[in-house]
Amino acid sequence: MIKQVKNPIVEVHDLTVAYDNKPVLWNADFSIPKGKMVGIVGPNGAGKSTLLKAIMGLIPIASGFSKILNENLKQVRHKVAYVPQKESVDWDFPTTVLDVVEMGRYGKKSLFKRLNREDKQIAVEALKKVKMLDFADRHISELSGGQQQRVFIARALAQEAEIYFMDEPFSGVDMASEKAIVDILLQLQEDGKTIFVVHHDLQSAMDYFDWMIFLNTRIVASGPLSEVFTTEILQNTYGGNLSMLEQIGQIYKEKQFPIRES
Ligand code: ADP
């Protein structure tokens, strides 16, 4: 089930991405309405990170295209913020927490322009929002996993973007940080922003997201949570993965979510 929408904020057409001639994302075709909190789920290696990077134009694509706000990526780059997977960041890079957040402002500047007082104030406000202002002068390598993640979210907030792409923002963070991050994302959604989150826990996915993309090299489904959380779609996404099916059984029991038998 792939629900196509009118006036999408993000649209993807026949998008195929290959590494070394081996397709890892195949013919993705979907559209997403503005203002949604979109969860992207699927097994390891399904192509979730690849999908985010391809939508943002960060990696070469084999065929197809994506559009954001009905524009080509170049025109809207400054309206897009990205929180990469924690593992892909060089935490030994010699920089402080405040430096990282201020980097979020450079996309708004013309080339070689320096940050002004307003930019610095926006960076400070972003750090306040993620409750990391006390750590402003710390080196980023000296933070816990949850704190590092919050700093990168502050950098995304400082960008004042329209669309946020977050790759596993909850991985390796404690429950308190996860809760803090979810609250920030909900606030962004309240402000009319659209948020994409790569996520691996189906149970919390049901609490966090109102739109879901199920991915396993191909798009298995994309649509409102209540329409795509079906046994058939879960099985098509995860196949016979036992632990995942157990997790799904647990979800049935605990939430008694109205899963549609198909
Ligand atoms: P997911 O985020 O769902 O775990 P990825 O998008 O990271 O999946 O990866 C999809 C597939 O592409 C995996 O098989 C992975 O090994 C492969 N892959 C990812 N990045 C590269 C790369 N830079 N070079 C070659 N293969 C890659």
Side-chain angles (χ1 to χ4, degrees):
M1 201 288 264
I2 294 173
K3 184 156 191 154
Q4 301 288 358
V5 299
K6 276 194 190 144
N7 301 320
I9 191 158
V10 169
E11 52 180 313
V12 168
H13 291 289
D14 293 333
L15 190 67
T16 296
V17 178
Y19 293 114
D20 309 321
N21 284 329
K22 184 174 164 272
V24 296
L25 180 66
W26 187 251
N27 249 344
D29 202 290
F30 60 87
S31 50
I32 304 290
K34 182 177 184 290
K36 296 289 174 200
M37 180 99 85
V38 183
I40 303 177
V41 297
N44 281 339
K48 302 182 294 295
S49 296
T50 301
L51 175 64
L52 283 197
K53 290 180 198 159
I55 294 175
M56 287 182 285
L58 298 177
I59 50 172
I61 55 178
S63 65
F65 64 94
S66 65
K67 272 184 163 186
I68 293 178
L69 288 158
N70 206 25
E71 303 255 25
N72 291 323
L73 303 175
K74 268 191 193 140
Q75 268 101 36
V76 288
R77 198 166 290 287
H78 60 287
K79 294 188 180 160
V80 173
Y82 175 40
V83 176
Q85 232 173 46
K86 212 146 55 61
E87 292 70 33
S88 66
V89 175
D90 177 8
W91 296 103
D92 292 326
F93 192 77
T95 184
T96 67
V97 164
L98 187 59
D99 288 338
V100 169
V101 181
E102 286 183 350
M103 281 173 206
R105 297 302 301 161
Y106 281 105
K108 297 251 171 207
K109 302 263 138 190
S110 45
L111 203 56
F112 304 127
K113 236 182 168 190
R114 296 180 55 178
L115 299 186
N116 59 27
R117 268 179 61 184
E118 192 198 350
D119 293 312
K120 296 194 178 225
Q121 192 53 39
I122 290 170
V124 164
E125 289 300 320
L127 268 179
K128 252 192 223 165
K129 276 192 193 147
V130 301
K131 303 197 174 65
M132 285 296 292
L133 190 56
D134 290 348
F135 297 80
D137 297 325
R138 279 270 187 105
H139 189 276
I140 52 166
S141 65
E142 298 165 351
L143 305 176
S144 74
Q147 290 170 336
Q148 289 174 335
Q149 200 59 280
R150 274 146 66 186
V151 170
F152 267 69
I153 287 170
R155 184 182 72 158
L157 294 178
Q159 278 178 257
E160 298 183 317
E162 284 302 310
I163 307 178
Y164 293 78
F165 291 101
M166 309 209 170
D167 202 342
E168 302 236 20
F170 308 121
S171 107
V173 313
D174 54 55
M175 272 317 287
S177 287
E178 177 159 341
K179 168 101 182 41
I181 295 169
V182 169
D183 287 345
I184 292 163
L185 300 189
L186 287 173
Q187 185 59 55
L188 284 174
Q189 191 184 22
E190 223 161 85
D191 295 341
K193 315 292 183 188
T194 309
I195 306 128
F196 289 77
V197 181
V198 171
H199 193 57
H200 67 266
D201 177 44
L202 281 173
Q203 199 146 351
S204 50
M206 296 176 55
D207 296 329
Y208 297 164
F209 306 120
D210 46 17
W211 193 281
M212 299 274 290
I213 296 175
F214 286 86
L215 180 65
N216 193 349
T217 311
R218 294 165 187 273
I219 302 291
V220 177
S222 167
L225 180 79
S226 58
E227 291 180 34
V228 293
F229 233 99
T230 67
T231 37
E232 187 189 14
I233 286 171
L234 289 164
Q235 268 164 357
N236 287 347
T237 308
Y238 292 99
N241 182 331
L242 271 181
S243 65
M244 197 50 73
L245 290 177
E246 262 168 33
Q247 214 188 95
I248 295 164
Q250 198 60 23
I251 293 172
Y252 284 162
K253 265 193 249 153
E254 288 179 12
K255 310 260 175 168
Q256 300 195 332
F257 192 82
I259 298 212
R260 296 188 318 186
E261 292 292 337
S262 33

